[in-house]
Amino acid sequence: MNAPGNPRREPARGGEGAPRQGGVAGARHEGSPVHRWLRHHGYALRVALRRLRLHPLSSIANIVVIALMLAVPILGASVLQSSQPLARQLSVAPQLTLFLAPDVAAAGQRALLERIRSESAEAVASATLLPREKALETLRAEPAWAQALAALPDNPLPDAIVVTLRDSEAPARQATALAEQWRQWPGVDHVQLDSDWVRRLESLLSFVRWGVGLLAAAVAVVVLATVFNTVRLQALTQREEIAVARLVGATESFVRRPFLYLGALTGLAASLLALALARLALVPLNEILGRFARSYGIEWSVALPAAADLALAGAVVVILGAAAARLSVTRRTRF
Amino acid sequence: MIEFQHVFKSFGRGRNILADVNFRIDPGEFIFVSGPSGAGKSTLLKLVGGLEPPSRGAVTVNGHRIDRLAARARPYLRRTVGVILQDAHLLFDRNAIDNVRLPLAVIGLDRATATARARAAMEKVGLRGKEDLNPIEMSGGEQQRLAIARAIVGRPAILIADEPTANLDHTSAQHIMDVFRDFNQVGVTTLIASHDTGLMARYARRTLHLDAGRFNDIPGVPA
């Protein structure tokens, strides 16, 4: 006799036609633990697919709901990832313009230029003096300004120093700091930060990044709730099957496994559908964005994130589906 | 071997369904459990099948103390006990052979072997050629035989049946009892709950008589 509590360890006795006196029935044909494990999972997968087929409308509805929710952060991530190179490209060489006071003589202007070059050598790529006459000449060359300037009796422009900064990790922040510093110098009337809009773009992207993260978290909750509810209903409709399985010696894992596959399959199907929907949505979106970007002289289009990133996101959804099913079935199969 | 020692069973704070039940059944015996409705027959069978633990006392089945068995180990014990309930508990979303194959899927048997054994089990209970039928298309007697096929396909050491002939006509009941007798003759310990005194008389075996949860072990007339 075995020690109580270990019926699994009792070896099977008797031949093909004889009953067993304990232990696991059918042990001779169960094969290795790996084969048994594979057969259990194959069976669970078949049961899960059958259950999905048995209720096609509700299965499809659940998959579509999750897919629609998933498509939104995929599109958000696409826009975000496609915008980052653009922002980096635009912020490579931010410029600052120092407008000088009218009473600063030519020698004072050159002294200011030298001071910028010597005190901020690490940050400054180039600094050039732009006399007011040359600035006026440049503006007159532009048809939009020519008419307005012709109406003025005098040259309204001040002398200026145009500073181009070197590329850095945070160009917008660096430019702001230098502008603050130079604004205090005597002889400097005003400092215009030409890369202000880059900073605003960076802030906007940071906000979008945060928004996409929040959206992804909301989608995770939707996936969990939808799969949880689906599995709960499935478990209720499969009460009889669960009871019979327990009657013939099914373990809790055997009962739960098909539900986990159901959750994972729902997640997988929804991920694939979401990908297809996002790809479809990018066609008209790129047409609109392309026109908009070209009006600023930029070539820009939105592409889906890298395949590896999409595969990772899909895997997360599949795991979320299985986890929600596990949570639901643990609560619902104790009939 | 099945042994009950001072077994009590109640549900919640309710009265004792079984009260101080003691008996021993040796391997290969054919036993009737008799008694009026509500006497505790079904509860006794559930304890033997490991479907319920006792509230007090010791229940030993195939050498394992069910009262001390961890919940996660009970399924493995259940595989050694074939259970047939009054309601056959068949699954109507699949055909007959898939119903019989279920216990073999539970133990991870390969599909070809499982199919062969399920066919053999169905043939033993007289359901040859009905493998592809949905159980809903079968008569009450056939459904009960299908439940027996499902119970024996795992080659259990013990077969327990709760009122297996209660809803059947005389001929079907006779056929079902013959099936149980055949299995008992190859060494399967058989325990049948019934209140059909005529049936028990025909198969004249040892009878455990339960009355209001108390038990008298009445030796039957040898067959």
Side-chain angles (χ1 to χ4, degrees), chain A residues 16 20 23 25 39-40 50 240, chain B residues 80 89 94 107-108 154-155 157:
Chain A
E16 277 291 303
R20 298 185 183 282
R39 280 197 288 269
H40 275 142
R50 194 188 67 222
E240 185 67 11
Chain B
T80 69
H89 284 280
R94 63 197 73 186
I107 60 170
R155 302 198 182 113

Side-chain angles (χ1 to χ4, degrees), chain B residues 139-155:
Chain B
S139 68
E142 286 174 331
Q143 287 186 3
Q144 199 59 277
R145 278 186 277 156
L146 191 62
I148 296 171
R150 186 181 63 197
I152 60 159
V153 75
R155 302 198 182 113

Side-chain angles (χ1 to χ4, degrees), chain A residues 244-251 254, chain B residues 74-79 106-107:
Chain A
V244 171
R246 289 213 173 106
L247 190 71
V248 299
T251 57
F254 185 89
Chain B
R74 275 188 211 136
Y76 298 93
L77 181 84
R78 267 179 223 145
R79 294 175 193 180
V106 164
I107 60 170

Side-chain angles (χ1 to χ4, degrees), chain A residues 10-306:
Chain A
E10 191 166 337
R13 278 179 265 162
E16 277 291 303
R20 298 185 183 282
Q21 300 301 312
V24 179
R28 285 180 63 184
H29 294 280
E30 285 174 33
S32 69
V34 175
H35 281 110
R36 197 162 60 238
W37 184 86
L38 285 173
R39 280 197 288 269
H40 275 142
H41 279 268
Y43 177 83
L45 182 61
R46 283 196 301 276
V47 171
L49 287 170
R50 194 188 67 222
R51 286 175 186 168
L52 280 172
R53 274 201 314 272
L54 275 175
H55 308 283
L57 283 179
S58 62
S59 303
I60 290 169
N62 285 327
I63 288 167
V64 168
V65 166
I66 297 173
L68 284 172
M69 283 300 294
L70 280 175
V72 179
I74 289 177
L75 282 172
S78 304
V79 171
L80 196 65
Q81 286 202 5
S82 303
S83 305
Q84 277 169 340
L86 184 72
R88 272 201 297 274
Q89 183 194 333
L90 289 168
S91 63
V92 162
Q95 283 189 334
L96 291 98
T97 306
L98 285 77
F99 295 106
L100 306 179
D103 58 347
V104 179
Q109 292 172 6
R110 278 195 299 278
L112 276 172
L113 186 66
E114 283 311 310
R115 191 178 173 191
I116 290 168
R117 282 176 180 161
S118 59
E119 288 189 14
S120 309
E122 284 183 5
V124 174
S126 69
T128 50
L129 194 62
L130 184 65
R132 54 202 293 262
E133 294 76 20
K134 195 176 177 187
L136 184 68
E137 204 178 304
T138 311
L139 273 184
R140 276 186 179 146
E142 290 187 27
W145 287 96
Q147 208 173 354
L149 288 169
L152 294 171
D154 201 1
N155 182 359
L157 302 174
D159 294 307
I161 296 172
V162 178
V163 180
T164 305
L165 300 180
R166 294 181 201 279
D167 193 19
S168 68
E169 285 298 309
R173 198 172 342 130
Q174 188 187 37
T176 307
L178 285 171
E180 281 298 313
Q181 184 190 337
W182 292 340
R183 206 166 275 141
Q184 314 300 321
W185 288 3
V188 176
D189 235 6
H190 176 68
V191 179
Q192 181 178 299
L193 191 58
D194 297 334
S195 59
D196 248 0
W197 72 277
V198 174
R199 188 164 51 84
R200 283 197 289 272
L201 179 64
E202 279 180 358
S203 301
L204 182 69
L205 287 179
S206 166
F207 173 74
V208 171
R209 200 175 295 124
W210 185 82
V212 168
L214 199 68
L215 200 60
V219 169
V221 173
V222 169
V223 172
L224 280 169
T226 310
V227 174
F228 184 92
N229 201 40
T230 306
V231 168
R232 186 181 66 87
L233 292 173
Q234 278 278 356
L236 284 172
T237 56
Q238 305 296 327
R239 288 173 73 123
E240 185 67 11
E241 183 173 347
I242 292 168
V244 171
R246 289 213 173 106
L247 190 71
V248 299
T251 57
E252 289 304 305
S253 305
F254 185 89
V255 169
R256 287 173 190 164
R257 208 174 284 123
F259 293 104
L260 302 195
Y261 271 100
L262 188 77
L265 285 172
T266 303
L268 181 66
S271 298
L272 294 174
L273 183 61
L275 202 59
L277 289 173
R279 206 183 170 88
L280 274 176
L282 281 184
V283 176
L285 187 69
N286 268 332
E287 271 184 32
I288 297 163
L289 283 175
R291 275 202 299 273
F292 178 71
R294 273 193 296 278
S295 70
Y296 282 88
I298 303 166
E299 277 303 320
W300 184 47
S301 65
V302 177
L304 285 174

Side-chain angles (χ1 to χ4, degrees), chain B:
Chain B
M1 189 268 286
I2 303 165
E3 191 168 29
F4 276 47
Q5 287 177 306
H6 305 292
V7 172
F8 291 77
K9 179 66 186 177
S10 60
F11 293 95
R13 290 185 176 182
R15 67 176 180 89
N16 281 327
I17 308 294
L18 297 177
D20 199 19
V21 173
N22 296 277
F23 68 87
R24 179 191 164 100
I25 297 171
D26 290 322
E29 273 198 86
F30 190 117
I31 302 285
F32 278 113
V33 180
S34 72
S37 295
K41 302 190 292 294
S42 299
T43 304
L44 186 138
L45 293 190
K46 280 179 183 169
L47 263 61
V48 174
L51 302 171
E52 291 285 347
S55 302
R56 259 163 62 197
V59 176
T60 307
V61 176
N62 283 339
H64 303 288
R65 283 281 297 271
I66 286 181
D67 51 298
R68 290 183 186 170
L69 208 57
R72 62 165 57 181
R74 275 188 211 136
Y76 298 93
L77 181 84
R78 267 179 223 145
R79 294 175 193 180
T80 69
V81 182
V83 181
I84 300 122
L85 302 174
Q86 188 173 342
D87 171 7
H89 284 280
L90 298 170
L91 302 174
F92 298 109
D93 63 349
R94 63 197 73 186
N95 62 20
I97 197 160
D98 278 345
N99 269 272
V100 180
R101 257 199 301 241
L102 181 63
L104 305 179
V106 164
I107 60 170
L109 210 60
D110 67 86
R111 199 169 166 82
T113 310
T115 302
R117 279 179 53 174
R119 281 184 193 284
M122 288 184 72
E123 191 172 339
K124 276 180 185 169
V125 298
L127 291 177
R128 188 179 182 177
K130 309 226 172 184
E131 292 86 352
D132 295 327
L133 285 183
N134 187 295
I136 210 157
E137 299 172 275
M138 295 176 152
S139 68
E142 286 174 331
Q143 287 186 3
Q144 199 59 277
R145 278 186 277 156
L146 191 62
I148 296 171
R150 186 181 63 197
I152 60 159
V153 75
R155 302 198 182 113
I158 298 167
L159 207 51
I160 58 177
D162 189 6
E163 305 277 7
T165 59
N167 302 320
L168 303 179
D169 59 64
H170 177 74
T171 311
S172 297
Q174 185 77 38
H175 195 150
I176 297 288
M177 290 308 298
D178 288 345
V179 170
F180 283 127
R181 188 192 55 203
D182 292 345
F183 279 103
N184 176 246
Q185 282 173 352
V186 294
V188 180
T189 307
T190 308
L191 208 62
I192 297 174
S194 178
H195 58 255
D196 185 342
T197 48
L199 191 80
M200 287 185 275
R202 273 198 301 281
Y203 286 86
R205 294 292 204 279
R206 183 159 76 106
T207 301
L208 307 177
H209 186 76
L210 275 167
D211 194 1
R214 295 193 180 274
F215 164 71
N216 296 301
D217 188 357
I218 305 168
V221 182

